[in-house]
Amino acid sequence: MTDHGVQEHRVLHIGKYFPPRFGGMETYLSDLMNVQKRSGMAVAAVVHQHLPSIRASHEGEEGTTNAAKAAHVYRAARWFNIGVVPFAPLFALTLAKAIKEFRPTVLHIHHPNASGVWALLLPSARRLPWVATWHADILTPEASFAIKLGYQFYRPLQHAQLARTQRVLATSEPYRSGSPVLAALESRCEVLPLGLDQQRLPPIKTQDIVGQASDEPHAPLRILSVGRIASYKGFRHLLEALNFLPEAKLTMVVSGNSAEITALEDQILRLGLSARVNLKRNLSNKALWDQYRACQVFCLPSTDKTEAFGMVLLEAQHFNLPVVACDIPDSGVPWVAAKNRRFALAQPGDAQSLALAIERVMTPEVLHDGRSEENTEIFSLENQAKRLNVIYQQASEGFDNC
């Protein structure tokens, strides 16, 4: 028990992937586990192998004498993907092993994740209270026909999962109110924004903040965008926006398979932007921080509410960079961007609107007072971890009364 009478739970997270896989959900899960562990909580995760494999693996701290304080990652074998859905028929075995060895007191499931439905079939999982973080809807305006078709089969399983879940966490109020799934949960759903582990981020020094201005009067504007290659990310619109920003240069830090990278490179060549676009792949944290320091404005050009939050916006805010994002209906992205001291919003999928927003955010007139100490506390992962421990306790008490 803590000083406030809240039990310190043993939390087993069920996620889709985990670092070194590149992505916002992966970053959040890793950061959250690190913060929870530092607070004295026992944490573990069951995820998929980030590379195709027929074998599961288990990573934990070697030589630790107190297993309760060790962070463990169980990676289930992922044979291949069906579209974006991992095919991992042995996920249930890995989950059962993790529950047996780690002995959690609560399951924290991160949606969307089709493999999470295996918890419904495991008696050991059903004996535990469940908490869920809802990272994004599956059905969105830009969802493909294949996703819409597959969702018809998955929907009953998702409904069964959520019916079995004591507490569901939306990452922003706009997403909670705009999601048909979350709106139907009523009192069981609350908002808990995402955050970053401040100890993973570098300290900011005055000399590091070079993005605010340039000593050269006619120096090109330096734009940065970071993300995994996907149709909803809107990278093609950002590339087209450079036609309206003839002096600007763009650095894109991306991850994706070779075919996706090649397609992006082909578009850069087709638009004649090779001299103005620097494409970087799968950077280390240190190399990524250098890119943030070197740019003047950060742009997240995502066009669909599959981009539900925008973790990279928090990274940009950490480096005191102005941010440009799209005003995506029912997404948390505009809400997160608006917490920055300097931000501008563009129309989704509109290259000229993106260019105008980038120009606008660099003008002296765009100096919003949105960012304050109160706003930065919203994204404090340390505060969120404390709140989560209370939520785990509430879920446990509600579960005991069932």
Side-chain angles (χ1 to χ4, degrees):
M1 303 288 287
T2 66
D3 294 340
H4 301 287
V6 178
Q7 179 183 348
E8 287 287 1
H9 287 275
R10 299 176 60 82
V11 183
L12 180 61
H13 295 273
I14 300 178
K16 194 172 181 180
Y17 295 107
F18 197 80
R21 170 82 175 212
F22 186 72
M25 285 180 64
E26 293 78 13
T27 296
Y28 172 71
L29 179 54
S30 176
D31 279 8
L32 174 60
M33 289 176 64
N34 286 334
V35 171
Q36 288 181 323
K37 183 188 169 188
R38 286 200 303 269
S39 72
M41 189 178 296
V43 289
V46 180
V47 297
H48 300 95
Q49 295 277 21
H50 61 284
L51 297 176
S53 173
I54 61 172
R55 295 179 180 274
S57 65
H58 172 212
E59 303 157 22
E61 293 189 350
E62 299 295 334
T64 182
T65 57
N66 185 356
K69 301 302 183 184
H72 298 265
V73 179
Y74 295 82
R75 298 183 191 262
R78 176 178 65 90
W79 296 3
F80 51 84
N81 273 21
I82 302 174
V84 297
V85 179
F87 183 74
L90 303 181
F91 192 94
L93 296 180
T94 303
L95 177 57
K97 177 183 178 183
I99 292 174
K100 180 180 179 180
E101 293 181 352
F102 182 68
R103 296 172 287 108
T105 60
V106 63
L107 292 185
H108 188 153
I109 305 174
H110 297 260
H111 294 272
N113 181 6
S115 293
V117 301
W118 288 109
L120 289 168
L121 302 180
L122 291 176
S124 58
R126 294 179 63 87
R127 285 193 290 268
L128 298 169
W130 295 3
V131 169
T133 294
W134 192 264
H135 290 269
D137 289 347
I138 294 176
L139 280 190
T140 68
E142 292 188 15
S144 67
F145 174 77
I147 290 176
K148 292 176 181 177
L149 179 63
Y151 186 67
Q152 299 310 308
F153 297 94
Y154 176 68
R155 187 199 301 265
L157 298 173
Q158 174 185 274
H159 178 77
Q161 273 188 291
L162 293 176
R164 177 64 181 68
T165 303
Q166 278 68 52
R167 306 291 293 175
V168 180
L169 308 175
T171 58
S172 69
E173 181 56 46
Y175 214 95
R176 177 172 70 168
S177 59
S179 166
V181 177
L182 297 181
L185 297 176
E186 298 179 345
S187 61
R188 285 191 294 132
C189 181
E190 68 175 271
V191 173
L192 187 71
L194 306 182
L196 296 172
D197 180 7
Q198 294 299 313
Q199 291 195 19
R200 182 176 60 85
L201 299 171
I204 299 302
K205 303 175 183 177
T206 303
Q207 59 267 33
D208 288 337
I209 307 175
V210 299
Q212 314 307 316
S214 175
D215 294 333
E216 304 175 36
H218 302 292
L221 178 64
R222 301 185 300 277
I223 307 167
L224 176 67
S225 192
V226 178
R228 178 176 53 84
I229 299 175
S231 59
Y232 70 87
K233 289 291 185 178
F235 288 136
R236 64 187 179 92
H237 304 299
L238 180 55
L239 289 172
E240 293 166 357
L242 293 183
N243 291 327
F244 303 98
L245 300 166
E247 301 301 321
K249 290 191 174 183
L250 170 65
T251 296
M252 303 177 71
V253 180
V254 299
S255 70
N257 60 44
S258 57
E260 291 169 330
I261 296 289
T262 299
L264 193 59
E265 291 173 335
D266 288 346
Q267 185 188 5
I268 293 170
L269 286 172
R270 189 168 60 252
L271 294 174
L273 295 173
S274 297
R276 298 171 57 201
V277 178
N278 188 4
L279 195 63
K280 295 183 178 291
R281 312 180 192 181
N282 303 321
L283 296 184
S284 66
N285 275 343
K286 182 179 184 304
L288 178 59
W289 306 151
D290 289 341
Q291 296 305 315
Y292 277 106
R293 292 187 180 101
C295 76
Q296 291 174 276
V297 59
F298 183 86
C299 182
L300 178 63
S302 298
T303 59
D304 182 70
K305 64 176 294 188
T306 303
E307 189 75 79
F309 189 85
M311 291 286 286
V312 288
L313 293 174
L314 300 188
E315 292 180 350
Q317 289 176 16
H318 176 78
F319 286 91
N320 294 315
L321 288 170
V323 299
V324 170
C326 290
D327 194 9
I328 307 169
D330 299 328
S331 169
V333 167
W335 177 78
V336 176
K339 300 303 180 184
N340 198 303
R341 189 170 59 90
R342 289 186 294 170
F343 74 96
L345 298 177
Q347 290 302 307
D350 188 326
Q352 186 173 12
S353 179
L354 266 179
L356 290 172
I358 290 170
E359 289 182 327
R360 189 165 66 251
V361 82
M362 298 303 295
T363 62
E365 292 79 13
V366 182
L367 189 62
H368 297 278
D369 294 326
R371 182 161 188 192
S372 65
E373 189 65 28
E374 180 182 356
N375 286 333
T376 58
E377 286 300 305
I378 292 174
F379 304 120
S380 166
L381 200 51
E382 288 74 14
N383 290 345
Q384 294 164 19
K386 294 176 183 177
R387 175 59 188 159
L388 267 174
N389 204 37
V390 175
I391 291 170
Y392 296 149
Q393 183 70 21
Q394 293 171 340
S396 298
E397 293 170 352
F399 180 73
D400 291 340
N401 293 330
C402 289

